[in-house]
Amino acid sequence: MKIQPVRGTHDILGKNIEKYNKIIEAVHNLAYAFDFRELQTPLIESTELFTKPLGEQSDVVLKEMYTFADRGGESLTLRPEYTTPMIRAAISNNLLNKLPCKIFGIGPMFRRERPQKGRYRQFSQINFETFGTSNSFADVELILLAYKILKLLLPHIKINLYLNSLGDRDSLKMYKFNLSEFFNNNKKHLSDESRTKIQTNPLRILDSKIPEDRKIIEKAPVILDFLNQESLKHYQSIKKSLKDLEVKFYEDNSLVRGLDYYCHTVFEFKTESLGSQSTIIGGGRYDGLIENLGGKNIPGIGWAGGIERIILLMKDIEINSNLIHFAILDERYKEYAFLAYNLLVDNNFSVFWNYKYNLKKSLSKANDENATHIIIIGENEFKEQKFTIKNLKNSEQHSVDFNSIINIIKC
C-alpha cells in the first residue's frame, strides 16, 4: 500500500522550498533591521494556554484544535496559533523584566480545518510581537514591517491594507451590547449560524460571508461611534503616521479578526489573487492578554502571516549561481576528480555528479539540470593531470590544471 501524506498536510520541495527559504531570509533580515529577536517555542503546549485566552466559544477552540491527553493525563494541544505560546515563553524566560520586549517566531501551526487553496491542517506561520508599550508607534512599526516584507517578496501582487479599531475594553463591551441588541432585533433575517453567535460573540457575525447576513451587517452599528476619546486619539495617530509614510490603507468597520483577545488596532493585508483565502497577514492589539496568562499587566500587539499563502503568490526564484556537473569516465579517476570537486565546494559553487561513468549520460543530466559547466575527467585528463572544462552556455572548452579551475569557471 502506498502511504500518502496525512490529509491537510503537504511536503515542501523543489521551487517551493526555494521560495520558503527566501521568505525566511527576508523575514530574518527585516526583523534584524527593526530590532526584533527570534524565539522558538515547543509544538505542544498545555491546552489551558489556548482555551483561556482564545475564548471557549472561539471556532479555533471548539472545532479546530488538535488536543489529546498524554500518558500522565495532562491535556496537551498542538499549537493552533503563535501569540499565546510566545507570551508564555516570554513569561517563562523572564523576558518581560526588560521592556519593551520585541520578539518574532517562525514555525508550524496545527488546525483541523477543511483543506483548501492556501489553507492546510499543518501550516507555517510568521509571528511578530511587541510587549510592554501602548504607544501607537509600536502599532505603526509592526504594520510597516509587514508592509515591507510583502513588498519585498510580492512586488508584482496588488495587496491592500485594511484597518479598524475596536477601542479599549470598555468601548468594546458597550459596542458588543449594542451589536447584540441590533442582531436580536434582526434575528429572523440572519442565517442559523449567525443566530447562535448573538449571545456568545456578536463580533463574529461581522465576519460572515453569507449573503443574507451581509445585508443586515451593512446596517449594523459601527464600532467607531463607540470609541472613547483616548481610543479615538490612538486610532487617529496610527492613520496619520501611515499616511505620512505613504502606506495606503482602507478603513473597514467590520474588521474584527478571529480571536477573542483583540482590542484597539486590528489590521489585515489582503489580496484578490488567492480567491476566498484573501488574508495574507493579520493582527492587532491584545492589551490585557499577557496578564490573563499570568504575566504583568502590560499591553501587547502583534501579527501573523501564512507562509504557504505567500509561496502561492511568489514568482519562481532565478538561481544565478554556477552549477557545475562532473563527468567521471572511469572509477579509477574518482579520487582525482574529488580534488576539483572539493575545491569548488570550498569556493561556494554548486557541484553534482550522477555517479555514472558515462559521458553521454552525464552531459544529458547536465543539460536537464541547466548546469553552466561540466568538468570531464577521463584517461587523458588523469595522465596529464588536467581537467577538461566545458562551458555549456557558449560551448567553449578548456583543458586546465588544478590551479586554473576557478578562474576558468568565473570567466
Side-chain angles (χ1 to χ4, degrees):
M1 182 184 75
K2 186 177 181 181
I3 301 176
Q4 299 291 342
V6 174
R7 186 168 187 257
T9 66
H10 65 296
D11 303 308
I12 306 176
L13 68 162
K15 293 187 181 299
N16 282 344
I17 200 70
E18 293 172 0
K19 295 176 183 179
Y20 180 92
N21 289 332
K22 183 173 181 179
I23 293 168
I24 302 304
E25 180 184 14
V27 168
H28 277 101
N29 288 341
L30 280 164
Y32 177 80
F34 279 74
D35 196 34
F36 282 79
R37 295 293 177 259
E38 188 171 13
L39 169 67
Q40 292 187 13
T41 70
L43 297 183
I44 55 172
E45 298 274 4
S46 170
T47 301
E48 186 183 9
L49 177 66
F50 304 109
T51 56
K52 187 176 181 181
L54 296 183
E56 292 292 344
Q57 300 304 319
S58 167
D59 286 346
V60 173
V61 174
L62 290 178
K63 301 177 182 178
E64 299 172 3
M65 294 202 313
Y66 283 94
T67 298
F68 58 95
D70 71 356
R71 291 184 179 180
E74 182 181 2
S75 181
L76 301 177
T77 295
L78 294 176
R79 63 184 183 200
E81 57 93 35
Y82 219 163
T83 297
T84 48
M86 294 185 83
I87 292 173
R88 195 272 311 147
I91 296 169
S92 300
N93 294 282
N94 300 314
L95 301 183
L96 302 181
N97 292 339
K98 186 178 179 181
L99 300 174
C101 173
K102 296 166 64 176
I103 55 178
F104 77 102
I106 305 169
M109 309 294 145
F110 303 85
R111 295 185 189 179
R112 200 182 189 284
E113 302 181 277
R114 181 172 64 86
Q116 51 189 295
K117 184 179 180 182
R119 175 175 284 183
Y120 300 92
R121 292 179 175 176
Q122 178 182 327
F123 56 97
S124 300
Q125 197 170 86
I126 308 157
N127 264 71
F128 279 83
E129 315 289 342
T130 299
F131 307 141
T133 179
S134 58
N135 195 304
S136 63
F137 190 99
D139 304 50
V140 177
E141 181 180 44
L142 278 169
I143 293 171
L144 182 63
L145 172 58
Y147 174 81
K148 287 185 179 293
I149 288 174
L150 294 177
K151 279 291 184 183
L152 179 64
L153 295 171
L154 305 172
H156 59 293
I157 298 292
K158 183 181 179 183
I159 298 171
N160 295 323
L161 168 61
Y162 295 89
L163 192 67
N164 193 22
S165 174
L166 302 178
D168 62 10
R169 295 297 175 191
D170 290 336
S171 299
L172 191 55
K173 184 178 180 181
M174 187 180 300
Y175 178 59
K176 281 185 176 181
F177 176 81
N178 280 269
L179 201 60
S180 293
E181 196 172 58
F182 170 80
F183 284 132
N184 265 319
N185 292 336
N186 292 274
K187 185 185 293 187
K188 64 180 180 180
H189 301 295
L190 291 172
S191 66
D192 292 339
E193 182 181 343
S194 289
R195 286 191 197 114
T196 63
K197 298 176 181 177
I198 294 175
Q199 300 306 322
T200 58
N201 192 348
L203 288 178
R204 304 303 314 127
I205 300 175
L206 299 176
D207 271 344
S208 175
K209 302 297 188 292
I210 301 171
E212 59 193 285
D213 291 338
R214 295 309 308 172
K215 292 179 182 178
I216 303 301
I217 292 167
E218 288 174 4
K219 302 173 185 176
V222 176
I223 180 65
L224 297 184
D225 294 337
F226 295 82
L227 300 188
N228 57 33
Q229 284 300 113
E230 195 62 33
S231 296
L232 197 58
K233 180 181 176 182
H234 184 90
Y235 185 46
Q236 288 171 341
S237 175
I238 293 167
K239 291 191 291 182
K240 182 181 183 306
S241 293
L242 291 174
K243 288 175 182 176
D244 290 344
L245 292 165
E246 297 183 348
V247 176
K248 187 177 180 180
F249 63 89
Y250 300 88
E251 292 188 76
D252 182 356
N253 294 327
S254 67
L255 177 59
V256 294
R257 299 292 296 150
L259 301 174
D260 289 354
Y261 50 60
Y262 284 110
C263 63
H264 286 295
T265 314
V266 286
F267 60 91
E268 291 184 350
F269 287 88
K270 296 183 177 183
T271 177
E272 295 180 357
S273 302
L274 280 175
S276 62
Q277 300 307 312
S278 60
T279 302
I280 310 172
I281 286 176
R285 275 205 167 270
Y286 42 80
D287 300 352
L289 178 59
I290 296 171
E291 184 182 27
N292 191 26
L293 291 173
K296 298 179 178 182
N297 182 18
I298 57 175
I301 181 171
W303 60 255
I307 291 181
E308 282 81 1
R309 295 186 187 182
I310 297 175
I311 287 174
L312 282 173
L313 295 168
M314 286 176 70
K315 289 183 176 180
D316 289 344
I317 298 169
E318 293 183 9
I319 305 298
N320 296 320
S321 60
N322 288 321
L323 175 59
I324 317 299
H325 275 240
F326 276 73
I328 305 172
L329 306 188
D330 191 284
E331 187 174 4
R332 292 172 295 167
Y333 316 134
K334 184 169 61 177
E335 287 76 15
Y336 179 62
F338 237 125
L339 298 175
Y341 191 102
N342 187 52
L343 174 70
L344 291 165
V345 169
D346 284 346
N347 282 273
N348 299 314
F349 289 98
S350 179
V351 294
F352 179 83
W353 177 46
N354 63 355
Y355 313 112
K356 300 183 186 301
Y357 303 103
N358 184 292
L359 179 59
K360 185 177 179 180
K361 289 182 179 179
S362 295
L363 281 167
S364 176
K365 181 67 174 176
N367 285 320
D368 289 344
E369 296 292 327
N370 201 28
T372 57
H373 297 78
I374 189 164
I375 298 181
I376 303 168
I377 299 103
E379 184 177 3
N380 291 336
E381 286 79 14
F382 181 71
K383 284 181 178 179
E384 298 173 11
Q385 292 294 282
K386 299 282 188 178
F387 298 88
T388 297
I389 302 178
K390 183 174 183 179
N391 186 318
L392 297 176
K393 302 303 178 185
N394 59 23
S395 298
E396 289 184 2
Q397 186 166 303
H398 301 273
S399 179
V400 302
D401 59 23
F402 178 82
N403 294 323
S404 301
I405 291 174
I406 299 299
N407 290 334
I408 288 295
I409 288 177
K410 285 184 175 179
C411 288

